[in-house]
Amino acid sequence: MNEVKDFIIDFLSVFYEAFPFIVLGSLIAGVLEEIVPQQFFGRVIPRNRFLAIALSALLGIVFPMCECGIVPVMRRMLRKGLPLGCSIAYMLAGPIINGVVFLSTWVAFKDHWAKGGYQIIALRMGLGYIVAVSTASLVEFILYRRYGAALLQPSSIPQSVTATNDDLSATAKERRSIWKRLGAISETALHDFMDITIFLTLGAIITSFARQTINMSEVAAFSTSYPGLAIAVMMALAIVMCLCSEADAFVAASFTDLHPSAKLAFLVLGPMLDIKLLLLFTRVFKPKLIVFLVISLIVHVFLIMMIIHQIWDVVRWPSPLNPIVAR
Amino acid sequence: MSHEHHHHDDDHFLDQVSTVATTGLIAGLAFFAWRVGLLMKFNILTEQFNQPVLFGSLALAGLTVIRGVSLWKQAGQRAKQETHHHEHGTSHQHHDDHGHEHDHSCDTDHDHSHESHAGYNCPHDHHSIVSSDYSSDMPEDHGHDHGFAPWRYAVLLIPLTLTGLLLYYFFAGLELTYSWDRMGTLLGRAVELESDSIAEIASKESVVYTPGLRELAEAATDGQKREYWEGRLAELRGLFAPINEREFTIFRLKMTCCASDAVPVKVRIIVPEGLSKLNLERGKGVSVVGQVQFKKVKDREEFIPVIISRTVKRVELGNDIFDRGQ
């Protein structure tokens, strides 16, 4: 019975925390689908694709979304001509590089300055950006060039239009009444809401079961002495726990004994990849791209955090094992 | 482009009506949950994240109403068309091969040839497809699936049912908190202290303060705050977790957004006379009055708050197990 109660609390907390943001994301998706012309993004982004990806990873600063809400928005942006690499850069970096997440990370780690809190805050943002841009570039310049639109689910494939048809379409839209446009927005928004919520539900079920079996403190304590293991374990926890990027910093800060590199692995990977996101990805990407994203993110984060671990100790930044001693 | 453009209108309408019903139900339940404070009562969400549930439910309700009315109108237009027997009816055979089952109904009079979809009064765009960097040879599906898939609604019954169960707990006055096993897991192992002294130090004054657990836990990281609190008397209330025969942890959970991100805030309590006579139960409420000290963790440059207790007694906390920063 206790397990059932724990399951109910875990499930409903994941579901209702994400619920308003999925509604918001779906509403924005509906508006994008109705208002933004086909290939709009293709026309406004820089021609240099790498520059476009690098800028897209910063979109979260002006257009902040959490990792659940960002999926339907990103799908509609894809359909409106935002290149795949740019969409992925926004999807991966958006939930980390925005004011709300910066603030929550600051609040969680400001009292941990003696253990490297300030460095963690800055590196979360910086490394999140690097991982997102690097992964998005690999997708754009290697995977997309090889497989093209076969990487996307049919519902995410951008539709290119002839100028004539686009004009006709725009004219047809102008003729439509406000009510019909609202009807169209509501249809798309509700469709996206249903689509995402179903997979959020499945993700929340898996997460709630996983949390029944994993003792996070024990796992973290076990890995304290081994940097590689600690980083890998914290990455696994990030995938299983499915925390909102606005809250995960407080959980990471609670692992007081862990080296900052392991905490950073948790903070950088979590908003980009977890169980519920994996299921949400299936609504946008084909398995080939999902597998690539998973491998790329895991390899990127692990390698970068191993490097950070070494640098941290070389430059003697404060950490739980080498804190700045308060009076 | 010759194709079977078979509109499975019945399936589509069934799917759309089911969508409207389901989203309406979710919006209604979410609004009700917000209205009665359901999610805060059971510590599912913090107050800060409970408010967005209201906005989410209202936005979803609004979308549902608009879609419902729109669907109602479409159904009316469709009925009219069926009586007209126009040249290709509602289940019209098209000869434009879009390569897919075009299983939907649109807000349209269907008075068109479908050679071009311009002017087609659909709530989404129909375009001819041309190849480009980001277009595909795949059929356009307007960005959403068509047809009725009952399993989707079956999955959504899970959050609806569990919310219903939570409402039952609410109105039946039942408690729902994390089990001791879960809280014990969150709590982790107690750290070893450098000093095992159980003596009180010189008291600063006789006033008994009531700091929150979080306040003392945070003070441990700050030299000035440690100096302020050390030697003062404090009363703390929280949950009891035994460590050994004369030490226990008093703790509460602190959540940022939701129960899933809960982490414990804890203070070590040392009971000089031992725990055996106190008859305390793990995971249950306890109140402690004693002297605040900060003790260094063995082999680490870290301090934790410790109370050398004077009185310890059982208290009833019910659902009030979360630290709210008091």
Side-chain angles (χ1 to χ4, degrees):
Chain A
M1 189 60 188
N2 282 339
E3 287 80 5
V4 176
K5 286 183 175 179
D6 290 345
F7 176 87
I8 293 172
I9 294 172
D10 281 335
F11 177 86
L12 289 177
S13 64
V14 172
F15 183 84
Y16 276 106
E17 185 191 23
F19 163 74
F21 300 101
I22 288 182
V23 175
L24 177 65
S26 304
L27 184 58
I28 292 172
V31 173
L32 277 176
E33 181 69 18
E34 177 62 19
I35 306 288
V36 177
Q38 292 294 335
Q39 292 298 308
F40 168 77
F41 291 110
R43 291 176 201 143
V44 297
I45 59 163
R47 285 184 182 277
N48 182 315
R49 195 48 59 82
F50 182 76
L51 180 63
I53 289 172
L55 290 175
S56 301
L58 298 174
L59 265 179
I61 296 171
V62 289
F63 200 34
M65 292 292 293
C66 69
E67 64 268 31
C68 298
I70 209 166
V71 176
V73 174
M74 182 271 294
R75 177 164 73 171
R76 294 292 159 180
M77 284 177 157
L78 253 179
R79 281 179 55 78
K80 294 293 181 182
L82 188 66
L84 181 59
C86 298
S87 304
I88 287 177
Y90 172 53
M91 181 188 76
L92 297 178
I96 294 179
I97 302 171
N98 67 63
V100 179
V101 173
F102 177 82
L103 200 64
S104 71
T105 311
W106 171 266
V107 171
F109 280 98
K110 69 179 167 52
D111 291 331
H112 294 242
W113 62 271
K115 296 179 188 173
Y118 295 153
Q119 286 86 344
I120 289 175
I121 297 164
L123 284 172
R124 182 185 197 188
M125 302 292 143
L127 297 178
Y129 181 79
I130 289 169
V131 171
V133 171
S134 177
T135 298
S137 300
L138 288 175
V139 169
E140 179 69 32
F141 297 117
I142 297 175
L143 212 62
Y144 185 77
R145 287 191 178 169
R146 186 163 178 189
Y147 297 106
L151 295 169
L152 301 172
Q153 294 290 355
S155 58
S156 311
I157 294 174
Q159 303 299 318
S160 184
V161 293
T162 61
T164 310
N165 273 344
D166 201 18
D167 293 345
L168 281 172
S169 172
T171 312
K173 277 184 176 175
E174 279 165 18
R175 280 203 299 265
R176 281 161 52 185
S177 66
I178 290 286
W179 174 255
K180 281 180 178 166
R181 300 193 85 161
L182 283 175
I185 290 170
S186 70
E187 181 179 7
T188 304
L190 289 188
H191 170 272
D192 283 10
F193 173 79
M194 290 287 289
D195 211 20
I196 297 297
T197 306
I198 286 161
F199 286 86
L200 169 76
T201 301
L202 295 174
I205 290 170
I206 296 170
T207 300
S208 304
F209 275 123
R211 290 174 66 104
Q212 306 270 333
T213 53
I214 295 173
N215 184 332
M216 288 171 291
S217 313
E218 290 289 321
V219 169
F222 174 71
S223 62
T224 303
S225 314
Y226 308 96
L229 185 60
I231 289 168
V233 164
M234 290 307 284
M235 286 168 63
L237 280 184
I239 292 170
V240 170
M241 289 178 75
C242 292
L243 295 175
C244 179
S245 57
E246 291 162 20
D248 58 0
F250 295 92
V251 176
S254 72
F255 292 110
T256 51
D257 298 346
L258 278 181
H259 193 278
S261 58
K263 290 180 193 173
L264 276 167
F266 181 85
L267 292 172
V268 172
L269 186 65
M272 299 185 182
L273 182 69
D274 62 34
I275 293 170
K276 73 173 182 324
L277 282 174
L278 262 178
L279 289 166
L280 298 188
F281 288 168
T282 64
R283 310 311 300 148
V284 186
F285 308 129
K286 286 281 180 63
K288 194 177 287 175
L289 178 51
I290 296 175
V291 170
F292 183 88
L293 280 177
V294 170
I295 293 172
S296 172
L297 289 173
I298 288 174
V299 170
H300 264 100
V301 173
F302 185 79
L303 290 180
I304 289 174
M305 294 313 160
M306 286 301 286
I307 294 167
I308 289 292
H309 186 92
Q310 299 303 322
I311 293 174
W312 203 288
D313 291 345
V314 169
V315 299
R316 297 189 62 77
W317 277 342
S319 74
L321 302 175
N322 176 33
I324 295 170
V325 181
R327 278 194 309 119
Chain B
M1 298 203 300
S2 73
H3 85 174
E4 280 284 300
H5 202 146
H6 205 106
H7 286 228
H8 295 289
D9 284 348
D10 291 341
D11 265 7
H12 175 70
F13 268 94
L14 182 59
D15 183 63
Q16 291 298 297
V17 169
S18 303
T19 295
V20 167
T22 307
T23 53
L25 200 53
I26 292 173
L29 270 179
F31 179 80
F32 193 60
W34 171 83
R35 184 71 184 86
V36 300
L38 186 72
L39 301 171
M40 284 174 62
K41 152 90 176 162
F42 292 107
N43 296 302
I44 303 282
L45 293 181
T46 56
E47 187 175 0
Q48 180 192 357
F49 274 74
N50 192 43
Q51 209 60 18
V53 172
L54 167 67
F55 302 131
S57 63
L58 291 178
L60 188 61
L63 288 169
T64 304
V65 168
I66 292 169
R67 182 64 192 140
V69 173
S70 171
L71 207 56
W72 181 273
K73 286 185 169 182
Q74 284 178 27
Q77 286 178 343
R78 184 181 159 214
K80 273 186 195 170
Q81 288 160 17
E82 280 175 354
T83 58
H84 272 177
H85 302 291
H86 81 80
E87 64 180 15
H88 51 211
T90 50
S91 182
H92 33 238
Q93 299 283 323
H94 291 281
H95 301 289
D96 300 333
D97 190 359
H98 290 206
H100 66 291
E101 286 285 301
H102 202 140
D103 183 16
H104 73 237
S105 172
C106 299
D107 189 8
T108 175
D109 59 4
H110 282 245
D111 188 18
H112 60 281
S113 67
H114 260 230
E115 281 173 6
S116 158
H117 284 289
Y120 191 63
N121 215 359
C122 239
H124 41 246
D125 304 330
H126 292 232
H127 310 289
S128 63
I129 301 168
V130 296
S131 62
S132 85
D133 192 19
Y134 273 90
S135 68
S136 81
D137 297 332
M138 300 185 71
E140 184 180 13
D141 75 340
H142 319 295
H144 52 249
D145 309 321
H146 299 151
F148 181 59
W151 71 269
R152 292 155 58 91
Y153 303 99
V155 169
L156 287 179
L157 278 178
I158 296 167
L160 290 172
T161 306
L162 291 182
T163 307
L165 191 64
L166 206 61
L167 282 169
Y168 168 74
Y169 268 72
F170 182 83
F171 287 111
L174 300 173
E175 280 183 16
L176 181 72
T177 60
Y178 274 137
S179 67
W180 167 251
D181 286 345
R182 171 58 68 86
M183 287 194 275
T185 300
L186 290 172
L187 209 50
R189 288 182 188 161
V191 293
E192 204 174 335
L193 301 179
E194 204 161 78
S195 156
D196 57 0
S197 162
I198 58 170
E200 285 196 13
I201 57 173
S203 288
K204 283 181 175 160
E205 53 185 329
S206 57
V207 177
V208 178
Y209 292 86
T210 53
L213 294 172
R214 197 190 310 184
E215 191 172 352
L216 287 185
E218 287 174 357
T221 63
D222 184 315
Q224 281 187 331
K225 289 180 181 169
R226 284 204 302 271
E227 194 176 311
Y228 172 82
W229 278 108
E230 196 129 42
R232 292 182 193 274
L233 293 176
E235 181 181 2
L236 300 173
R237 288 157 71 93
L239 298 170
F240 171 76
I243 297 171
N244 56 39
E245 287 178 357
R246 66 174 192 197
E247 291 179 57
F248 69 89
T249 298
I250 186 170
F251 74 101
R252 285 173 184 263
L253 300 177
K254 173 175 80 80
M255 58 181 183
T256 309
C257 304
C258 67
S260 278
D261 62 44
V263 292
V265 277
K266 52 194 177 184
V267 172
R268 179 81 59 94
I269 308 295
I270 296 176
V271 187
E273 62 272 24
L275 297 177
S276 55
K277 292 178 185 168
L278 294 175
N279 198 25
L280 300 172
E281 203 178 335
R282 70 176 192 175
K284 298 292 181 187
V286 62
S287 169
V288 176
V289 177
Q291 188 187 55
V292 179
Q293 295 183 12
F294 293 92
K295 288 185 180 284
K296 192 168 174 294
V297 177
K298 192 175 183 182
D299 300 330
R300 271 195 254 161
E301 292 297 333
E302 185 183 341
F303 292 86
I304 64 164
V306 171
I307 300 278
I308 308 295
S309 75
R310 291 183 177 178
T311 62
V312 179
K313 60 183 179 187
R314 295 175 68 151
V315 290
E316 193 55 51
L317 292 179
N319 275 333
D320 184 26
I321 63 167
F322 281 83
D323 182 279
R324 299 179 201 284
Q326 68 269 34

